[in-house]
Amino acid sequence: MSEKMITLTIDGQSITVPEGTSILAAARQADKDIPVICYHDATTPNGLCRLCVVDVNQGRVLQPACVAQCQDGAVVETRNERVERSRRTILEMLDSAVDLGQAPEIQTLIHDYQAAPDRFPDAKRRDHSELDDNPFYVRDYSQCVLCWRCVQVCGEDAQYTFALTLGERGFNTHVTTLFDIGLLESPCVFCGQCVGVCPTGALKPKVEWGMEQGFSADEIRQMTRRPRRKADSEA
Amino acid sequence: MFDLESVLERYSERGRDALLPALWEIQTGLGYISLDTVHRLSHTLHVPATEIYGVIEFYSLFHTEPTGDTVIQVCTNPACGALGADAVMGGLCDRLGIQLGETSADGRYTVLSTTCLGLCEHAPAALVSVRGVGERAVAPAQVDDLLAGIFPPYHPVVGGDIRVLLDGIHPGRAQPLADYGDYVALRHALIASSPEAVIETVEQSNLIGRGGAAFPTGRKWRFTRQSPNLPRYVVCNADESEPGTFKDRVLLEGRPHLLLEGMALCAYAVGASRGFLFIRGEYPEAARRMAKAIAEAEAAGVLGENILGTNFSFHVEIRRGGGAYICGEETALFEAIEGKRGFPRIKPPFPTTHGLFGQPTVINNVETLCAIPGIVRHGPDWFRQWGTDRSAGTKLVSVSGHVQRPGVYEIIPGITLRHLLETTCGGIIGSLQTVLMGGAAGTFLTPEQLDTRLTFEDLWAIGGTFGSGAIMVFNDTVSIRDVLQRLGHFFQHESCGKCFPCQIGTQRQSEILDRLDAPLAGDYERLHDIGLTMTQASLCGLGQTAASAVLSAMQIWPEVFAGREGVG
Ligand SMILES: Cc1cc2nc3c(=O)[nH]c(=O)nc-3n(C[C@H](O)[C@H](O)[C@H](O)COP(=O)(O)O)c2cc1C
Ligand code: SF4
Ligand code: SF4
Ligand code: FES
């Protein structure tokens, strides 16, 4: 690949990167911190959370650093007033919809951006009851931020298993299975990749969950015994 | 009787892009799509069953559970709301002894609310789906008729300063090929012009897109032709779901051949041999008439293989949307044709290089394409005789609400809004309170702004937008709070949910708008923060404009947001 180099300014610092580099990668190269929620090195970036938005050339709209490519001569500000307002408001809205109690990285961001707890009173939350339908992991979609990572690794980013998809749309979007069937009836092979990439407590190994719930080691062993049907398909 | 077996048989050689058509056939035939059906469809099309389920879940016209034999959906758009939609909805529910969203005890009817059906000139509107038969759009909707299964035809109300695009519109039928003429502009281009020359003509005409984004059409075509990858596609955006917009419906139903000739000229210019016409699912009559026109044109040799005896071939396929405003966004529309959930893609890359199936694609609005045959036939100067340099040609607007004659009007850009409403549309009913210009994604104008000239540039200059040409007129009997609530519900319902600012912002915005009569302390600042965040940080045009009307209302009527002591 013949690499054309381009030069841009990030927070006043000039930096040269190969064409096609994302603003996020360029910023990281310059040791500038841009917050992310949905972005993960192992999954296709989709620009969902918009926490990474930055100001490029004072444009009408902000640009998502994780997917926006560096342009030659661009002037990027990673944290100015309107960037801060967007990030703070997104965090406040997320906190008003989702249980972020077990998402320490997001908690740090909330603190960092002085996002007010309870900024949105009387707000509909995305409450879901905990799904404990298999011996391997427990799903609590009340803690799901909809980063899509689990759906992506289960599908075209890794496994090609297609056990997971999204139900409904808009605010009511939720991760689910075919007609909401239990994971044991679904094509899930319990590879555990989804649990590995989940940034919150929405997907949790059964052992960890059992310990949190105060079950004894024996009880947990009982709960996590593999059903026969799946014994040979587990990696 | 519906025979699933034979339907699946027909789809056996097809791929994922046949998913929406297959789901439509099953939905119409059976009234819903069951788990078992999804499994069988998955085998037929080689698409994971889980993914098919995700697609069904996205579109509001597809159901995974049985509904009544007849599903009646009543429009809740502000224009229908101002003209009695709630009474129709309430009347239906009372007569059937059900709540909104429920099915009557005998299983015959389900009543739902829906977003704008694009029949605003005959408000209030309803969409009726009969199992085994299909959809029927009804306006004005009346409780007795709806329950008796009587669907009186609606006829377009058209008018304006001039008849170019609307020439040949007749009530009750599509203009037949014999009346339209056998594609003279296409014939002329195929014999006498190179594709390059057609692009040049369109560029010189100064035509800019009529779908809302106002991008120069000739330039779009040039970029597409310059993209080296083959094949290239032509897509017509007939998703027309912007509340208050119904001009494309009138063209689709009334002048199908004008559109087909425009698409064929576009295909010739950019070097495409396949085109898609994506029509929103709520326009059943438009889909029927367009299908008939395609057959008519193919039989006459002006469409299809070796058009007019040349080696240029162009095939048009119709795709019906599944009920999602977001699929009017060009990249979401591609996803829908490809058989996926209608999520907008990240841009760049743009459709001109990476469009439908990842190939170079021209996507244009119905009205944009309908302007093409005239431009090619008569030349760019002919088109530029109307309007201004930046707003060349004639332009359609959809006027609804409190005017004497709501309808589709062909105007010469440069006339004032006052002229349009007070003269062309027969006058305003009652005392004017406000005009919502550009649809739900537009802005409110005040009576003092009535002398604004209707051009793209004049509207931008006052911080407004022409948008899709929707003009909703409200007199002082209408509560602004009610209008805002309806807009809030619309965006809450139509956000695709892909990006956080709009996914949560449209919900929070709607909640705050719902309590305008008794706001909580700090609501004004909340609305402001939500609005600016959606506008600046959202992924696509839906979120970027979802607060536009609200933010304009906050400037014009701060008292509306100040609780009960305010007016509204
Ligand atoms: C949420 C949303 C909805 C849209 N709906 C439509 C539509 O219904 N019809 C349309 O032509 N364009 C619609 N657009 C604009 C299209 O993305 C695209 O710009 C247009 O089809 C291009 O055609 P034109 O250049 O001829 O206007 C919509 C855009 C957004 C963001
Ligand atoms: S369950 Fe976890 S990984 Fe999956 S979308 Fe939700 S937060 Fe992301
Ligand atoms: S702005 Fe709204 S409609 Fe557009 S991608 Fe984001 S959530 Fe979807
Ligand atoms: S990290 Fe860029 S949008 Fe989520």
Side-chain angles (χ1 to χ4, degrees), chain A residues 47-48 50 170, chain B residues 58 326 329 342-345 491 494-504 506 534 537-544 546:
Chain A
L48 308 176
R50 317 303 279 187
Chain B
F58 189 85
I326 189 57
E329 196 283 335
F343 285 132
R345 300 175 185 164
F491 285 111
E494 298 303 329
S495 165
C496 81
K498 179 168 180 173
C499 73
F500 293 14
C502 166
Q503 169 212 99
I504 315 178
T506 51
M534 285 203 289
S538 291
L539 189 152
C540 86
L542 189 152
Q544 288 164 12

Side-chain angles (χ1 to χ4, degrees), chain A residues 9-24:
Chain A
T9 310
I10 302 183
D11 294 339
Q13 181 181 332
S14 173
I15 167 163
T16 300
V17 292
E19 191 175 32
T21 305
S22 72
I23 295 175
L24 179 66

Side-chain angles (χ1 to χ4, degrees), chain B residues 242-565:
Chain B
E242 183 65 49
T245 315
F246 42 97
K247 61 176 180 87
D248 294 344
R249 190 203 81 230
V250 168
L251 289 171
L252 293 158
E253 291 177 354
R255 302 203 71 195
H257 290 291
L258 180 65
L259 174 59
L260 292 174
E261 187 177 15
M263 287 182 76
L265 282 163
C266 176
Y268 176 65
V270 304
S273 59
R274 225 176 137 195
F276 290 86
L277 170 57
F278 189 90
I279 306 178
R280 66 182 300 210
E282 293 86 345
Y283 280 180
E285 191 58 29
R288 280 189 283 269
R289 292 190 190 178
M290 284 305 312
K292 206 174 142 207
I294 289 171
E296 211 182 358
E298 283 179 351
V302 292
L303 201 67
E305 216 47 37
N306 299 110
I307 294 176
L308 295 165
T310 65
N311 59 10
F312 170 62
S313 300
F314 180 58
H315 297 268
V316 177
E317 282 175 54
I318 294 178
R319 284 289 190 276
R320 290 185 67 201
Y325 166 65
I326 189 57
C327 289
E329 196 283 335
E330 53 196 17
T331 59
L333 188 151
F334 298 150
E335 296 281 304
I337 295 180
E338 292 176 17
K340 301 176 190 156
R341 288 169 69 90
F343 285 132
R345 300 175 185 164
I346 299 207
K347 288 188 275 194
F350 293 102
T352 49
T353 57
H354 296 74
L356 183 62
F357 305 119
Q359 297 297 117
T361 303
V362 168
I363 176 163
N364 275 131
N365 173 257
V366 172
E367 184 190 342
T368 312
L369 289 164
C370 283
I372 299 295
I375 292 171
V376 172
R377 184 167 171 190
H378 304 293
D381 292 338
W382 169 84
F383 190 70
R384 287 206 319 246
Q385 70 179 295
W386 300 294
T388 64
D389 247 16
R390 296 183 66 189
S391 303
T394 64
K395 168 96 190 77
L396 299 185
V397 292
S398 315
V399 186
S400 60
H402 290 128
V403 289
Q404 296 293 348
R405 285 202 330 132
V408 174
Y409 293 91
E410 185 157 9
I411 65 163
I412 297 172
I415 62 161
T416 62
L417 182 57
R418 183 185 303 284
H419 173 79
L420 174 69
L421 301 184
E422 293 183 352
T423 309
T424 317
C425 300
I428 295 164
I429 300 174
S431 164
L432 179 69
Q433 179 171 206
T434 185
V435 173
L436 180 53
M437 181 80 212
T443 56
F444 289 101
L445 303 182
T446 61
E448 292 73 50
Q449 290 171 310
L450 270 187
D451 291 311
T452 307
R453 297 190 327 148
L454 293 173
T455 66
F456 287 95
E457 59 273 22
D458 285 276
L459 287 160
W460 284 327
I462 59 164
T465 171
F466 223 136
S468 55
I471 300 178
M472 280 185 250
V473 182
F474 300 109
N475 66 21
D476 60 3
T477 65
V478 171
S479 149
I480 293 298
R481 289 184 184 157
D482 181 69
V483 173
L484 288 169
Q485 273 161 25
R486 289 174 188 275
L487 296 179
H489 291 176
F490 171 74
F491 285 111
Q492 187 277 345
H493 190 260
E494 298 303 329
S495 165
C496 81
K498 179 168 180 173
C499 73
F500 293 14
C502 166
Q503 169 212 99
I504 315 178
T506 51
Q507 171 74 28
R508 294 292 170 261
Q509 173 173 271
S510 181
E511 287 166 354
I512 296 172
L513 295 174
D514 274 349
R515 60 178 185 239
L516 284 176
D517 281 339
L520 301 178
D523 269 0
Y524 189 89
E525 290 71 29
R526 284 186 197 102
L527 264 187
H528 200 239
D529 275 351
I530 296 170
L532 292 182
T533 301
M534 285 203 289
T535 305
Q536 296 185 358
S538 291
L539 189 152
C540 86
L542 189 152
Q544 288 164 12
T545 56
S548 151
V550 176
L551 292 172
S552 78
M554 289 168 81
Q555 275 189 357
I556 303 173
W557 307 287
E559 67 279 7
V560 163
F561 300 85
R564 223 166 295 128
E565 65 271 26

Side-chain angles (χ1 to χ4, degrees), chain A residues 50 119 124 162 166 168, chain B residues 50 341 508 526 536-537:
Chain A
R50 317 303 279 187
R119 172 80 200 281
K124 180 175 171 190
F162 299 104
L166 299 170
E168 298 182 68
Chain B
T50 314
R341 288 169 69 90
R508 294 292 170 261
R526 284 186 197 102
Q536 296 185 358

Side-chain angles (χ1 to χ4, degrees), chain B residues 213-231:
Chain B
F215 191 84
T217 306
R219 201 185 310 164
K220 186 182 275 190
W221 291 18
R222 181 171 298 285
F223 288 161
T224 306
R225 183 164 184 90
Q226 281 167 352
S227 297
N229 289 345
L230 292 174

